[in-house]
Amino acid sequence: MEGKKGIASSEIFETLGDFTSKENWDKFFTLRGTGDTFEWYAEWPELRDPLISELQSSSASDGAADFQILVPGCGSSRVSEYLYDAGFRRTTNIDFSKVVVSDMLRRYVRSKPEMRWRVMDMTDLQFADDFFDAILDKGGLDALMEPEYGSKLGIKYLKEVQRVLKSGGKFLCLTLAESHVLDVLFTELRFGWETSIHSIPQKPGSKPTFQTFMVVTVKEKLVAPNLIKLLFDQHSIIHKGGQVHALLNAVENENRIRSGYTASADIMYSLKDLQLGAKGALNELVPGCRCQTILGEQGSSLFHYKAVLLDSHQLSEPFLYHCGVFIVPKARAHEWLFTSEEGQWLIVESSKAARLIMIFLDSSHTGSSMDDIQKDLSPLVRNLAPGKADDEARIPFMMAGDGIKQRNIVHEVTSAITGHIIVEDVIYDNADGDPSELKLFRRLTFGRSSSMVQSEAFLSQEAHSKEAGTDRKRNVPSSRTRTKRGQKRSDSYKLIDGSKVTKVDHSCLASLYHSGIVSGFALIISALELAVSSGKKIRTYIVGLGAGLLPMFLHACLPFLQLEVVELDPVMLDLATQYFNFVEDDRMKVVHIGDGIRFIEDANVIKSHEQETDGTCPEPLANGNSSGIKILIVDADSSDLSSGLSCPPSDFVEESFLLQAKNFLSEGGLFVINLVSRSPAIREKVVLRLKAAFSQLFSLELEEDVNEVLFASPRNVCIDVDQLQEAVAKLRSLMKFPLPDGQIEPGKFKCLK
């Protein structure tokens, strides 16, 4: 160190018990007197080469004359004088000690006129954003990081460094590299900064206790963390022992953290990481940006929350909200729509929010009201909203609702195959009028996908029995949300009047996709008309009983169908019989309690064996009164909602089963699949497989967001779509009970092959 002689060093340094005290520094510089110089950590001969090299590499394009340098906590160091002589004249020196600033100003006002001196707190810089090309810190950060005062001042100072430094600018920090200092420095400048470390040479002949390092961080535009580079020979300073060893360990640990961010595509950022710029400026919208974080800290909020932040891909579109919150309840947290990126972007699109914050509830939130959760979340999400911190724009809270006005749970049971099953009666809140005139529906839901309705039927009540028997044209209130695996649930309610249910009305269909399946029979209208005129039955196989509503409607509405149902879970047959009035007779058989795929495979084996035995081509499980045309309907749900395919189970759209289905229908007929997937990629994969297996393929996209009914035939027995208008009219003439007017339009059918 350089310094004035003749004053007892012990007396001087006793004044600096607290390096963060302005009064102590004023006393320190007063004791040293005017004209004094004092160098912390490194003197100019040792500092010159690495410092000038770094500054020249940054000022090469603009030149040193216009290069703006800030020296915070300048004290009485002569480093600015030497930089001035080296051509870097636009240097601003600040210190919160008026004593030392006054002395330095008097010393250099004439000899170094372009150099500036100001009294200022380095943690509260009075400069514009992006003002300086370089900031030279000569022990200032170390002084702020007194262990007994924590990291608060150091963090505040580094935020100011980030603010006033230009993009591409350098922060050159001379430090003893103590672990608590490096921890803050590496963390605060982790994202959007390139970091390297120099070892400052020691004065020849001296044996200082500590080694001085210069940490150089460059403010970059990229947010991905860069690994820290060591620009010195470790072995040349290894004799410093613990100090160097601690530095190397700190760099190794930090590089391990940074490598993790670089290697992982979907990591969990801390909120602080985001605030530090891990994904860019948090208050700015970045099209297509997506990241995960944890909100809430002990002592400041009731709970912790897993959150996903998503900025809309198309920020040019008009949005209803600059920021919105979408809460995902625990029961739905495993579904593809909410867990997959593709599904989450669909939620963003439908939310009409420029930035959507998805909040995932878990078991820790059980028992808390939604009002309490929203109050707890409000200040947390406000910090994540784009725009200025004081922006008071409303942030709406959204949550998938089911439109249920009243609910009564009729029965609950747990099956070894399906799991928890619920039978419930509901009134929808879009139903108006006197409570005694409201229409009721009976629904079947599964606990594994409690937000989705598996089956739904219109109920005839004692108070409504007359109306139920006469209301045939309208059948049920139209509802875009009332669709299998597309209907959401809410909390339980009790029915208004408590009246008793008499029966399920099987003369109408409450689910639009069921109406779509039936309408698709018009594709083989010629075969249907031939069966009716000849008195033959068309064997119709349904894989997936559910509540038995589709087979019971077909049984009542199209008497020329011979219905056989395959159901994996015997509990479903009991529920359909007891709570949905499912009945078997000579035209309605549950022929197989077991795997639907195995049933089709076994039927094909029987057919193949009989062909080999007598050369005939008999119908499996058929009799002489059956037509050669068959219909195979797959209407089963998937137990794995994380796959992105809610219906059918993925095995039913594998190439192997589709070929089995084609063989099963080899004499001609119709293969029908109710497809429920929010993933365009999965849907396209299914369509390509069907195209490869079958000669004809048609699609009916329903008004709901997710249901699509696909119709395929192994032979060219289906009519052209431009003939569907007439074919649907003919189908209606064959039906005992008409489908609701306008519910299915022939123009909605598309020929895919």
Side-chain angles (χ1 to χ4, degrees):
M1 292 182 184
E2 288 184 2
K4 187 173 181 180
K5 310 298 183 182
I7 299 176
S9 60
S10 60
E11 180 184 359
I12 293 175
F13 285 103
E14 282 176 0
T15 66
L16 292 178
D18 177 4
F19 283 93
T20 66
S21 170
K22 173 182 176 298
E23 290 74 17
N24 286 356
W25 281 106
D26 280 342
K27 186 177 181 180
F28 173 82
F29 290 117
T30 299
L31 286 172
R32 294 191 66 87
T34 60
D36 176 61
T37 60
F38 191 89
E39 299 292 347
W40 291 93
Y41 293 171
E43 298 179 17
W44 181 249
E46 289 71 48
L47 181 60
R48 178 181 53 214
D49 289 346
L51 179 58
I52 294 296
S53 176
E54 288 288 349
L55 293 176
Q56 286 179 339
S57 65
S58 295
S59 62
S61 58
D62 298 329
D66 297 320
F67 196 72
Q68 293 277 4
I69 300 176
L70 174 67
V71 182
C74 60
S76 57
S77 170
R78 297 182 63 186
V79 68
S80 297
E81 172 190 340
Y82 298 129
L83 289 175
Y84 195 97
D85 294 339
F88 296 97
R89 299 188 173 189
R90 305 291 295 274
T91 302
T92 300
N93 305 271
I94 68 168
D95 201 295
F96 67 178
S97 171
K98 186 182 295 186
V99 173
V100 75
V101 170
S102 298
D103 182 41
M104 299 298 281
L105 181 59
R106 285 193 297 270
R107 189 185 310 180
Y108 293 110
V109 66
R110 290 185 177 84
S111 61
K112 313 292 182 188
E114 295 180 57
M115 193 155 54
R116 297 289 179 262
W117 301 87
R118 294 183 63 178
V119 177
M120 191 181 298
D121 184 344
M122 62 196 297
T123 67
D124 187 19
L125 300 176
Q126 306 302 304
F127 300 108
D129 296 353
D130 306 316
F131 188 81
F132 291 101
D133 297 287
I135 297 176
L136 173 60
D137 180 323
K138 201 162 180 279
L141 179 61
D142 284 11
L144 291 175
M145 293 289 293
E146 286 284 282
E148 60 199 88
Y149 296 103
S151 59
K152 182 178 179 180
L153 290 177
I155 292 174
K156 187 178 179 182
Y157 165 55
L158 289 176
K159 289 189 181 301
E160 287 291 85
V161 167
Q162 296 177 64
R163 182 180 64 81
V164 302
L165 196 61
K166 294 178 181 178
S167 178
K170 288 182 177 179
F171 176 51
L172 304 107
C173 181
L174 290 164
T175 174
L176 297 182
E178 293 177 277
S179 59
H180 67 286
V181 175
L182 293 180
D183 180 57
V184 170
L185 182 60
F186 290 165
T187 301
E188 293 295 315
L189 305 185
R190 177 177 290 156
F191 301 100
W193 297 80
E194 183 177 333
T195 305
S196 58
I197 302 177
H198 296 262
S199 171
I200 302 302
Q202 297 176 355
K203 188 175 182 178
S206 66
K207 294 182 179 181
T209 305
F210 298 104
Q211 172 68 49
T212 299
F213 297 93
M214 184 169 68
V215 180
V216 180
T217 55
V218 183
K219 187 177 179 181
E220 299 284 353
K221 292 183 178 180
L222 298 177
V223 297
N226 296 298
L227 297 184
I228 299 171
K229 301 174 183 177
L230 297 177
L231 304 182
F232 59 87
D233 182 4
Q234 301 175 28
H235 300 289
S236 65
I237 57 172
I238 202 66
H239 64 277
K240 292 298 178 184
Q243 183 194 10
V244 175
H245 182 69
L247 168 68
L248 297 178
N249 280 343
V251 171
E252 182 180 359
N253 291 335
E254 177 64 18
N255 280 343
R256 188 180 300 113
I257 293 172
R258 297 187 180 200
S259 296
Y261 283 116
T262 305
S264 178
D266 198 20
I267 63 175
M268 184 70 69
Y269 290 94
S270 69
L271 179 58
K272 184 172 183 179
D273 286 340
L274 296 179
Q275 292 171 334
L276 290 173
K279 301 294 284 186
L282 191 57
N283 63 346
E284 297 178 4
L285 291 168
V286 180
C289 180
R290 175 187 177 276
C291 60
Q292 297 186 93
T293 188
I294 299 293
L295 299 180
E297 297 180 359
Q298 189 172 2
S300 62
S301 59
L302 295 176
F303 304 106
H304 290 86
Y305 304 90
K306 176 187 174 184
V308 178
L309 277 67
L310 303 109
D311 287 354
S312 175
H313 287 286
Q314 303 295 330
L315 295 182
S316 59
E317 295 182 1
F319 295 100
L320 292 178
Y321 314 105
H322 80 299
C323 184
V325 178
F326 189 94
I327 298 178
V328 181
K330 176 178 179 288
R332 304 195 66 183
H334 65 289
E335 295 180 23
W336 175 90
L337 180 63
F338 305 113
T339 59
S340 70
E341 285 193 41
E342 189 177 358
Q344 290 170 2
W345 287 119
L346 292 175
I347 298 294
V348 173
E349 184 177 349
S350 64
S351 72
K352 301 300 180 183
R355 171 173 292 171
L356 188 67
I357 305 170
M358 295 185 69
I359 302 293
F360 291 80
L361 302 185
D362 56 35
S363 57
S364 68
H365 307 111
T366 303
S368 298
S369 70
M370 195 51 59
D371 284 343
D372 288 341
I373 288 175
Q374 288 189 23
K375 289 177 183 178
D376 194 40
L377 277 170
S378 291
L380 302 178
V381 298
R382 177 68 63 185
N383 293 329
L384 299 177
K388 297 180 180 179
D390 58 354
D391 190 350
E392 293 299 322
R394 186 172 72 92
I395 300 178
F397 282 77
M398 296 169 269
M399 187 173 181
D402 64 359
I404 299 298
K405 185 175 185 177
Q406 306 266 349
R407 170 181 283 112
N408 179 47
I409 295 179
V410 177
H411 183 71
E412 292 184 79
V413 66
T414 299
S415 161
I417 296 175
T418 306
H420 187 216
I421 306 172
I422 302 170
V423 178
E424 59 187 4
D425 294 344
V426 302
I427 296 175
Y428 289 98
D429 60 11
N430 61 353
D432 300 321
D434 190 292
S436 64
E437 298 177 357
L438 298 180
K439 293 185 177 181
L440 274 68
F441 297 84
R442 176 155 292 179
R443 312 196 315 178
L444 178 73
T445 61
F446 295 163
R448 69 190 182 201
S449 53
S450 58
S451 61
M452 308 301 178
V453 177
Q454 304 299 320
S455 299
E456 183 174 64
F458 176 55
L459 287 180
S460 295
Q461 258 187 314
E462 289 180 352
H464 302 101
S465 57
K466 182 177 179 180
E467 179 190 32
T470 58
D471 188 5
R472 290 290 178 255
K473 280 191 175 181
R474 191 163 184 264
N475 284 317
V476 295
S478 176
S479 172
R480 292 190 61 181
T481 60
R482 202 167 297 133
T483 170
K484 183 174 184 179
R485 300 162 191 95
Q487 176 67 50
K488 317 298 187 292
R489 296 189 59 207
S490 66
D491 296 333
S492 287
Y493 296 89
K494 292 186 180 297
L495 293 176
I496 294 174
D497 55 6
S499 54
K500 295 181 180 179
V501 172
T502 56
K503 65 176 182 178
V504 170
D505 189 346
H506 289 301
S507 64
C508 60
L509 292 172
S511 295
L512 185 59
Y513 88 96
H514 276 164
S515 298
I517 289 175
V518 177
S519 297
F521 290 1
L523 291 166
I524 54 170
I525 189 62
S526 298
L528 301 185
E529 290 180 321
L530 180 61
V532 172
S533 63
S534 64
K536 298 282 188 180
K537 303 292 184 185
I538 294 182
R539 302 192 71 83
T540 302
Y541 301 86
I542 302 176
V543 178
L545 173 66
L549 302 178
L550 178 61
M552 286 300 291
F553 176 79
L554 293 175
H555 178 273
C557 187
L558 298 172
F560 53 87
L561 298 182
Q562 181 70 37
L563 293 148
E564 301 182 6
V565 184
V566 183
E567 172 56 50
L568 180 64
D569 191 346
V571 174
M572 296 306 302
L573 178 57
D574 294 338
L575 291 175
T577 302
Q578 295 179 37
Y579 297 100
F580 292 89
N581 304 122
F582 178 77
V583 179
E584 294 183 74
D585 61 17
D586 59 348
R587 285 185 43 242
M588 172 77 75
K589 300 289 185 183
V590 179
V591 298
H592 189 69
I593 296 295
D595 190 311
I597 293 177
R598 182 64 180 272
F599 172 79
I600 299 300
E601 291 175 345
D602 290 347
N604 285 336
V605 170
I606 294 172
K607 182 173 71 172
S608 176
H609 177 72
E610 293 184 357
Q611 287 175 338
E612 293 174 359
T613 301
D614 55 20
T616 62
C617 187
E619 295 297 321
L621 308 176
N623 55 50
N625 194 37
S626 297
S627 165
I629 293 290
K630 295 196 296 290
I631 299 173
L632 173 59
I633 302 171
V634 175
D635 187 25
D637 87 307
S638 173
S639 60
D640 181 13
L641 296 182
S642 64
S643 67
L645 191 62
S646 300
C647 184
S650 58
D651 288 346
F652 283 90
V653 290
E654 292 292 339
E655 181 182 359
S656 56
F657 175 74
L658 296 180
L659 292 176
Q660 289 286 346
K662 176 183 179 181
N663 187 26
F664 183 76
L665 300 171
S666 59
E667 289 74 32
L670 195 63
F671 178 50
V672 186
I673 285 185
N674 175 37
L675 181 67
V676 182
S677 177
R678 293 184 183 271
S679 169
I682 293 175
R683 184 261 180 193
E684 184 62 25
K685 184 183 295 184
V686 172
V687 168
L688 288 175
R689 289 174 179 173
L690 284 164
K691 284 182 178 180
F694 291 90
S695 300
Q696 290 180 294
L697 180 62
F698 299 85
S699 166
L700 173 61
E701 292 188 17
L702 303 177
E703 299 239 345
E704 291 87 352
D705 293 336
V706 292
N707 286 75
E708 179 180 11
V709 184
L710 297 170
F711 304 88
S713 177
R715 296 187 179 183
N716 294 325
V717 298
C718 297
I719 63 171
D720 295 332
V721 290
D722 56 4
Q723 299 174 296
L724 265 174
Q725 188 78 41
E726 180 183 356
V728 169
K730 291 181 179 180
L731 176 64
R732 289 179 182 273
S733 69
L734 299 178
M735 299 173 67
K736 297 295 183 181
F737 308 108
L739 294 174
D741 291 334
Q743 210 175 58
I744 302 294
E745 300 176 12
K748 296 290 185 180
F749 283 85
K750 295 180 182 179
C751 179
L752 303 181
K753 180 181 179 182

